[in-house]
Each structure stands twice: as structure tokens, then as C-alpha cells.
Amino acid sequence: MRHVAIVTGASSGFGLLTTLELAKRGFHVLATMRDIQKAIIFKEHVKELSLLDRIEVYPLDVTKQEDIEAFQKKVEEFDHVRVLVNNAGIAIGGFSEQIEMEDYRRQFETNVFGVMATTQAILPKMREQGEGTIINVSSISGLVGFPGLSPYVASKYALEGYSESLRLEMMPFGVQVALVEPGSFSTNIWSSGMEIAGGVNNDQSPYATYMEKLMATMESGKNKHGDPQLVAKLICEIAMMKEVKKLRYPIGRGVRAQLMLKRLLPWHRWERIIINTILQEK
Ligand SMILES: NC(=O)c1ccc[n+]([C@@H]2O[C@H](COP(=O)([O-])OP(=O)(O)OC[C@H]3O[C@@H](n4cnc5c(N)ncnc54)[C@H](OP(=O)(O)O)[C@@H]3O)[C@@H](O)[C@H]2O)c1
């Protein structure tokens, strides 16, 4: 029996690398993306034909109901689906007062409802086959709040809650659920995949100085961003586990230390650390 894995948002970053890594490890990968013109990237990255043969590209915008329905029909063609990696995501930042409700909704459409809809499409198959692993790509932002990023943070916290419940629901049916929680890694999400509602250079904004320091903090942090291949490898390791013992798999420089500090420090000291780090930035 061939092992089928589905990856959403396979056109770049973690999704692309996870697709390649899963294919290398023998999975038949259904690499889904909203713009299949971008599938050319696999030909650019993979020279081995046998590997390319294991990657099947399929169009899927996780926010479009018609795409989800067509995708569900596609999934029915397979006897067995071993793994689903819900990876597709966008990041919307800005200060809450200045963010349009439409932007909050767009953020949730992709990072939360998109995951729920994709998961619903494959759950009947996994439940019937009595096994399967669903890996949801969350973030340190699903565990730690950060100013100027409330749409993204709220979406990842929602994803965490959804995954925690889903894991318990699916346990009696042999379907396992895990969360991968990366810190900051070098992918497009912090450039082309990121939108700042209200703009970054609005001098008239009461948040102008705060925003400037926030952007400086993000900029100075970029040279510490991790290698996204490490995240792809972790996702594959979880995909290959017979028993996924933990719900949460944090990864990245300083991530575990941050989580420990958040848990142990009195709350006012913890938030002072965050705010001082930003406000001291030049
Ligand atoms: N990089 C980090 O530091 C970091 C840290 C924590 C968590 N994450 C999470 O990792 C996941 C992958 O992001 P990345 O860092 O690899 O960034 P990325 O390179 O920007 O990848 C995001 C992927 O999601 C796809 N996507 C966006 N909206 C979609 C939609 N409606 N339907 C289907 N696909 C959609 C993008 O497709 P297009 O090519 O069409 O835009 C792209 O393939 C996200 O969930 C993100 O929140 C990233």
C-alpha cells in the first residue's frame, strides 16, 4: 500500500520543503496550492524523476468551498490517506484599532476556517480507515501574544484550541492530531506573505512610533531566523510516527526558553520583557 500525504500551501516555504521531504521518504504527496502555475517550483528543485513521480499537484485554495468539495472528490480516489499537513497560512499585522474587520475575517478564513474545511474533507476517510495523522502548522504565536500582530496571533490561538479538541474527538478512531509550533524561520511569510493593515509609514497614526519600533524589532530579528528545512524534517518525523504521543511540537531558536519564561514568571514581569524589547529598539 502506498502512503499518501496531503500538504496545503505547497508552493513555498514549509509546504514546499515538507512536500519534498515526504516524497524523499517514500510518501506519495498530494501537493496542493491555490495557484498551480507555481508547481514549476518542483521541477526547479527536483532533478530525480522518481521523486517527481511521487508528487502530484492539485489546486486548492483553502478558503474556497468549491475547491474544498473538488478536493474531497479527489481524496476519495485514494484507497488510503495516511497524513494531512495543514500548512497554508497568511500573516496580517497592524494595531487592533486600525485593522478592518474584513482583515480579521480574511486572516481567520485562511488560518482557521481553511484548516477546519480541509480537515473535514479528509476526516471521513481517515475515520473509516481507522488511522491517519493530521499535522496543523501553528506557531509560537499560538502560544504567546505579540503586539501589532493580533489577527495572526488570534488565528493561531484558535487553531491551537481547535486542534486540542480535534485530537480528543479522533482518539477513539485511531486518528492522531499534532501541532507544530515554529518560532521565526526564513520563509516568505515575513515578506510577501505578510500584510500590515493601516500601513507601516503613516506619520499621522497615534501608533507611528510604536509601529516603527516594532518593524525595527522584526527587521533586526531576521538574521536570527531559522532554517525552514528543520521544520519540514520535524513534520516528516511526526508523519512517520506510529504513535504521536504529544499534541504540541515547538521548534526554533529560543522558543522553549520563551515558553518556560511565560509559564514561570509573574505576568507583569513577562509582559515587561516583551514590551521593553520592542520599545528599546532604535
Ligand atoms: N516562517 C515562519 O517563521 C513561521 C513561523 C510559525 C508558523 N508559520 C506558519 O507556517 C505556515 C507556512 O508558512 P511559511 O512560513 O512557509 O510561509 P510562505 O512561504 O508564505 O507559505 C505560505 C503558503 O500558504 C499558501 N497559502 C496562503 N493562503 C492560501 C490559501 N487561501 N489557500 C491555499 N494556500 C494558501 C501560500 O500560497 P501562495 O504561494 O499562493 O501565496 C504559501 O504556499 C503558515 O501557516 C505560517 O503561519 C511560519
Side-chain angles (χ1 to χ4, degrees):
M1 181 175 59
R2 64 179 178 169
H3 281 186
V4 173
I6 297 161
V7 179
T8 67
S11 59
S12 67
F14 297 153
L16 167 66
L17 296 171
T18 301
T19 298
L20 298 176
E21 197 63 33
L22 284 166
K24 273 186 211 154
R25 297 187 195 206
F27 279 89
H28 180 83
V29 190
L30 207 45
T32 71
M33 56 188 74
R34 56 182 168 176
D35 175 6
I36 55 163
Q37 307 289 338
K38 292 190 179 177
I40 186 80
I41 199 145
F42 293 119
K43 294 225 167 78
E44 287 165 7
H45 275 71
V46 185
K47 299 289 167 244
E48 270 173 69
L49 279 180
S50 59
L51 204 62
L52 265 185
D53 279 351
R54 275 185 235 135
I55 300 172
E56 194 178 337
V57 177
Y58 195 78
L60 176 63
D61 181 328
V62 298
T63 67
K64 291 200 173 135
Q65 190 53 33
E66 63 272 25
D67 280 17
I68 296 281
E69 280 165 21
F71 171 65
Q72 185 162 27
K73 287 208 180 84
K74 173 77 191 168
V75 168
E76 277 159 17
E77 287 173 18
F78 294 95
D79 297 336
H80 192 273
V81 173
R82 177 77 193 78
V83 176
L84 167 65
V85 183
N86 280 310
N87 162 76
I90 56 169
I92 300 181
F95 283 89
S96 305
E97 185 186 335
Q98 301 179 327
I99 298 170
E100 303 283 345
M101 285 314 298
E102 186 46 36
D103 287 330
Y104 274 113
R105 289 198 177 95
R106 263 188 327 110
Q107 178 71 88
F108 271 66
E109 281 299 338
T110 305
N111 291 20
V112 184
F113 304 132
V115 173
M116 291 169 176
T118 310
T119 303
Q120 271 187 352
I122 61 92
L123 271 185
K125 177 158 274 316
M126 283 191 176
R127 181 181 43 71
E128 278 161 24
Q129 68 196 24
E131 69 142 3
T133 299
I134 298 168
I135 303 168
N136 291 337
V137 181
S138 178
S139 170
I140 179 75
S141 299
L143 298 164
V144 174
F146 203 71
L149 213 53
S150 71
Y152 186 68
V153 167
S155 74
K156 293 298 185 184
Y157 265 76
L159 179 63
E160 294 267 328
Y162 167 69
S163 306
E164 203 170 314
S165 292
L166 183 68
R167 181 171 163 106
L168 294 167
E169 282 179 17
M170 298 317 293
M171 211 171 260
F173 299 99
V175 179
Q176 315 190 78
V177 178
L179 282 159
V180 170
E181 297 157 325
S184 297
F185 286 82
S186 301
T187 68
N188 296 337
I189 199 135
W190 305 122
S191 49
S192 55
M194 173 104 183
E195 290 174 51
I196 306 285
V200 258
N201 297 317
N202 179 1
D203 293 346
Q204 304 308 313
S205 164
Y207 298 95
T209 310
Y210 204 160
M211 176 59 88
E212 201 183 304
K213 288 179 183 289
L214 202 56
M215 294 316 290
T217 309
M218 284 176 82
E219 205 44 52
S220 67
K222 274 189 181 164
N223 59 1
K224 295 184 201 129
H225 284 188
D227 176 0
Q229 186 66 38
L230 296 174
V231 176
K233 286 207 163 117
L234 173 63
I235 293 172
C236 290
E237 276 159 27
I238 299 168
M240 296 181 82
M241 284 176 190
K242 219 172 156 56
E243 196 185 347
V244 183
K245 289 201 174 137
K246 295 191 295 178
L247 167 64
R248 295 189 164 84
Y249 292 83
I251 175 169
R253 192 174 173 168
V255 165
R256 279 174 195 281
Q258 267 193 69
L259 295 176
M260 186 143 45
L261 280 179
K262 182 178 175 181
R263 204 168 52 240
L264 296 179
L265 286 179
W267 189 255
H268 69 281
R269 283 198 55 208
W270 163 248
E271 56 193 11
R272 268 287 131 213
I273 291 176
I274 299 181
I275 212 86
N276 288 345
T277 310
I278 296 163
L279 296 183
Q280 277 161 17
E281 198 69 44
K282 294 229 168 57

